[in-house]
Amino acid sequence: MAGVVRDWRVELVKAYPDLFHPLPDSPGVAQASPECGEGWRDLLERACARIRAAVQADGGSFKATQIKEKYATLRFYWEGALSPKADAQVDEIIDLAEARSACTCEVCGEEGRLYQSGCWMMTRCALHAEGRAVVIEPSFENVQVKERIVGERREIICRRYDRETDSFIVIDAGSLGIEEE
Ligand SMILES: [Zn+2]
């Protein structure tokens, strides 16, 4: 089916064969053909362009292995061999894309938020929403908490995603009541 229906997923795989490594006999189909709505097309295109630049500058290898929606946000998995620097760059690019998916309607690409319908979670604008808006404490809105091991030490990084500038703003973990060890 996917090989016959020409849609944005096919276009994306065709535009980035160096990242998707599509099947030789169907250039628009890859293991990681996105399993999400078209509203996230823009953020995926942006992520792919950035990853390509990082991988090309590095000279290492990269293959997207799965791109899907899970619990209302994007998941982007990959395998490959990159230098630690490029590896960190790619991680950051994917973090940005995943953070953007959490505030972008998966249907239309407009600004969105978390909704829940039964046990189904989704990121939607008001127009495409189903169910009820999930209440998020304002201080936790668009906040990403990440753990990082630096030497022997466990570090917790808290960042707020700013949709306007498509960037993270580091915030104090203490202000969220998250304790560092
Ligand atoms: Zn929408």
Side-chain angles (χ1 to χ4, degrees):
M1 265 300 275
V4 180
V5 180
R6 235 183 125 74
D7 65 7
W8 68 274
R9 298 170 185 86
V10 172
E11 302 301 322
L12 188 72
V13 170
K14 281 188 171 175
Y16 293 94
D18 47 328
L19 307 185
F20 283 98
H21 305 275
L23 308 174
D25 51 346
S26 15
V29 183
Q31 183 187 335
S33 292
E35 299 163 60
C36 63
E38 191 167 6
W40 291 352
R41 179 184 187 168
D42 281 355
L43 65 89
L44 274 173
E45 282 178 348
R46 195 184 298 195
C48 286
R50 288 170 172 170
I51 292 170
R52 171 182 278 171
V55 171
Q56 282 181 355
D58 185 62
S61 67
F62 179 96
K63 184 191 176 194
T65 54
Q66 192 177 33
I67 297 174
K68 64 174 181 182
E69 175 273 338
K70 191 178 182 189
Y71 301 128
T73 59
L74 182 78
R75 298 288 190 279
F76 192 131
Y77 302 107
W78 64 280
E79 60 186 25
L82 298 173
S83 69
K85 184 179 165 229
D87 203 296
Q89 284 172 339
V90 166
D91 270 354
E92 181 73 1
I93 292 163
I94 291 173
D95 279 351
L96 280 169
E98 292 182 351
R100 190 167 188 82
S101 74
C103 55
T104 300
C105 176
E106 195 191 342
V107 176
C108 72
E110 289 296 315
E111 187 163 359
R113 69 183 317 293
L114 187 62
Y115 286 88
Q116 183 172 11
S117 176
C119 56
W120 182 33
M121 311 288 279
M122 72 203 91
T123 302
R124 294 283 193 274
C125 68
L127 184 67
H128 294 118
E130 288 173 50
R132 60 180 180 82
V134 177
V135 179
I136 299 167
E137 230 185 281
S139 60
F140 276 96
E141 225 169 312
N142 295 330
V143 167
Q144 186 206 51
V145 180
K146 214 179 162 175
E147 205 180 37
R148 187 165 72 174
I149 308 293
V150 184
E152 301 276 282
R153 204 165 152 269
R154 192 170 71 101
E155 209 179 56
I156 294 174
I157 312 160
C158 293
R159 308 190 290 184
R160 188 184 307 281
Y161 177 71
D162 182 63
R163 198 172 186 274
E164 281 299 303
T165 56
D166 189 34
S167 61
F168 286 117
I169 298 155
V170 175
I171 51 175
D172 176 27
S175 73
L176 299 173
I178 296 167
E179 280 177 27
E180 255 185 272
E181 274 179 8

